[in-house]
Amino acid sequence: MGGFDDLALELEARKEQHLYRSRLITETAQGAEIGVDGRRYLNFCSNDYLGLANHPDVVASFQAAANVYGVGGGASHLVNGHSTAHHALEDALAEFTGRTRALLFSSGYMANLGVISALLSRGDAVFQDRLNHASLLDAGLLSGARFQRFRHADVADLSQRLASSEASRKLVVSDGVFSMDGDIAPLDELSSVAQQHDAWLMVDDAHGVACLGHGGRGSVDLFELDQQQVPVLMGTLGKGFGTSGAFVAGSEELIETLIQLARTYIYTTAMPPAVAAATLTSLKLVQADNWRREKLAALIKQFRTGAEQIGLQLMPSQTPIQPIVVGDAERAIQMSQALKTQGLLVTAIRPPTVPAGTARLRVTLSAAHNEKQVERLLNTLADLPVVDGSMPGNVS
Ligand SMILES: *Cc1c(COP(=O)(O)O)cnc(C)c1O
């Protein structure tokens, strides 16, 4: 084995294709404004949709719990890392989701890997929306089950695939809110088609919980779907909840099966108990503070109306994820850079995260923003220098 010449070539090729990824260094807490590399920016790229990541009550609960439990979880849940703080949060999440039980995972990525590979193996089949989150797709592949992708939000396509499957177990998997498009899955239809074909439905509601539904109960609440209709409900805590980790909610049998079989649950250290305690406080705020969702809805409306007026191409999204389709990866990067020069952070999302030719600026709104800040975003977008001879937002 020589050096890493191969890797260097591949990295160089990524740069040439404008697909190279690099990191910002954030120096402050999440919020409408953040400090990055010594400068203040208006933040339109975080998933802290309700502005809870730095909420004083959430921070205080975290600190108080650290005084009790220390910092580290110390061991996996099945050894002795499962604390009263974790347990109380699981009970509260079960009640919140209207499910029999809930189980905590250290991250959404791990929850998805753990659930799908615990439920399926060779001889089974998994059916995934094409635009599902990478963690779901990875989980499907890892499980060893037959892997099929159906056309985005296309229930007829799914139905056909289910009808022609002879797998012993069938699992249909969909994002509740699609992470890069912001649209909501047709969960009512997915649920009936899954039931018709004797398949389970799993919904990953990473971007729906906290933001949508009564008291922030998420996309399944919009469609009033219960545990029987959506037997596997997954939500994350690092987005709308403003903390970290994830949960899976469902029946006693589901949760006990995960405790026995989900490798990303068994073979990893429990999340810090203080994170669980902080999340319990954030869950109370999520449920009580309807004004956060109302404010968010008003900002979404303001942004969409303004963006349409300046001719930007939006996607059919009623959620805080408001992508502006640009098409070309290079152009998305240039626009993101131009916004950054003006003091605004908006991420450019490129393939392979999204399909080729659909690079976009992924604007995310938060209840932490105010009207003036959204106005500044719109004004800056309107004044962006012309790129490639076309106006921003026109897909050429
Ligand atoms: C962010 C996200 C995840 C991963 O959750 P983490 O807790 O960040 O690992 C899973 N699914 C979807 C749809 C997501 O957007």
Side-chain angles (χ1 to χ4, degrees):
M1 284 289 287
F4 284 114
D5 292 356
D6 272 10
L7 300 187
L9 283 175
E10 282 169 19
L11 288 169
E12 204 43 52
R14 283 186 92 85
K15 279 186 193 160
E16 276 162 21
Q17 294 158 14
H18 307 282
L19 298 178
Y20 201 79
R21 302 171 192 261
S22 51
R23 302 167 302 171
L24 301 171
I25 300 183
T26 300
E27 295 149 354
T28 61
Q30 288 293 336
E33 286 190 19
I34 55 171
V36 172
D37 300 332
R39 216 187 133 181
R40 303 287 298 178
Y41 288 93
L42 258 184
N43 170 15
F44 287 105
C45 53
S46 104
N47 300 317
D48 179 25
Y49 301 124
L50 297 187
L52 294 175
N54 192 30
H55 189 288
D57 295 356
V58 178
V59 175
S61 295
F62 184 85
Q63 289 168 334
N67 288 336
V68 175
Y69 296 99
V71 175
S76 69
H77 283 276
L78 287 173
V79 177
N80 70 354
H82 187 69
S83 69
T84 44
H86 295 116
H87 208 73
L89 178 59
E90 288 182 345
D91 286 347
L93 286 168
E95 197 186 330
F96 170 67
T97 54
R99 266 58 183 167
T100 313
R101 282 184 69 184
L103 187 71
L104 288 174
F105 283 80
S106 295
S107 78
Y109 193 104
M110 291 169 73
N112 285 340
L113 288 194
V115 171
I116 297 181
S117 55
L119 294 182
L120 302 181
S121 54
R122 248 179 224 97
D124 301 329
V126 60
F127 302 82
Q128 303 223 19
D129 187 291
R130 288 199 78 80
L131 298 189
N132 274 355
H133 190 260
S135 56
L136 293 170
L137 302 175
D138 292 355
L141 295 172
L142 180 70
S143 72
R146 277 197 69 139
F147 188 95
Q148 297 200 37
R149 293 209 221 186
F150 57 92
R151 283 200 295 273
H152 177 53
D154 188 336
V155 184
D157 184 29
L158 169 65
S159 180
Q160 251 176 21
R161 289 169 185 277
L162 283 168
S164 57
S165 167
E166 279 162 18
S168 33
R169 271 187 195 172
K170 295 178 269 224
L171 178 69
V172 174
V173 185
S174 180
D175 281 19
V177 173
F178 288 88
S179 54
M180 297 300 141
D181 291 43
D183 58 329
I184 298 168
L187 295 179
D188 48 350
E189 296 172 66
L190 289 177
S191 150
S192 19
V193 166
Q195 286 189 329
Q196 271 162 33
H197 294 279
D198 212 12
W200 295 323
L201 174 60
M202 170 175 180
V203 173
D204 171 343
D205 211 17
H207 301 273
V209 282
C211 294
L212 303 175
H214 295 96
R217 287 187 172 77
S219 59
V220 294
D221 183 78
L222 292 181
F223 297 96
E224 297 178 7
L225 298 172
D226 62 17
Q227 177 164 304
Q228 205 208 329
Q229 292 160 305
V230 178
V232 188
L233 175 61
M234 177 277 194
T236 64
L237 305 172
K239 291 168 179 154
F241 282 93
T243 63
S244 184
F247 66 87
V248 176
S251 69
E252 180 73 23
E253 294 77 10
L254 172 72
I255 300 304
E256 281 302 316
T257 299
L258 296 180
I259 293 173
Q260 312 311 312
L261 299 181
R263 296 169 66 83
T264 57
Y265 183 77
I266 300 167
Y267 298 108
T268 197
T269 301
M271 72 161 64
V275 171
T279 307
L280 191 56
T281 298
S282 132
L283 174 59
K284 287 179 187 145
L285 292 166
V286 162
Q287 292 180 273
D289 289 1
N290 276 321
W291 66 266
R292 290 177 194 276
R293 280 178 291 277
E294 284 158 13
K295 186 171 170 203
L296 196 47
L299 295 172
I300 292 167
K301 192 160 169 234
Q302 182 197 350
F303 176 77
R304 288 188 69 85
T305 309
E308 267 153 32
Q309 277 164 8
I310 56 176
L312 296 176
Q313 196 195 335
L314 296 179
M315 302 192 84
S317 162
Q318 299 305 318
T319 67
I321 303 167
Q322 290 293 331
I324 301 169
V325 185
V326 174
D328 179 54
E330 181 177 7
R331 205 137 143 256
I333 293 287
Q334 285 169 343
M335 288 175 73
S336 172
Q337 283 298 339
L339 288 167
K340 193 171 173 207
T341 310
Q342 304 288 319
L344 295 158
L345 283 185
V346 180
T347 323
I349 305 282
R350 295 157 288 172
T353 308
V354 292
T358 71
R360 64 200 65 180
L361 292 173
R362 181 174 180 270
V363 172
T364 50
L365 298 169
S366 165
H369 291 129
N370 61 37
E371 237 172 89
K372 272 215 161 70
Q373 291 165 332
V374 172
E375 202 176 294
R376 194 174 139 210
L377 170 64
L378 288 165
N379 290 338
T380 315
L381 282 165
D383 292 344
L384 274 193
V386 172
V387 183
D388 285 345
S390 55
M391 291 300 290
N394 292 343
V395 178
S396 44

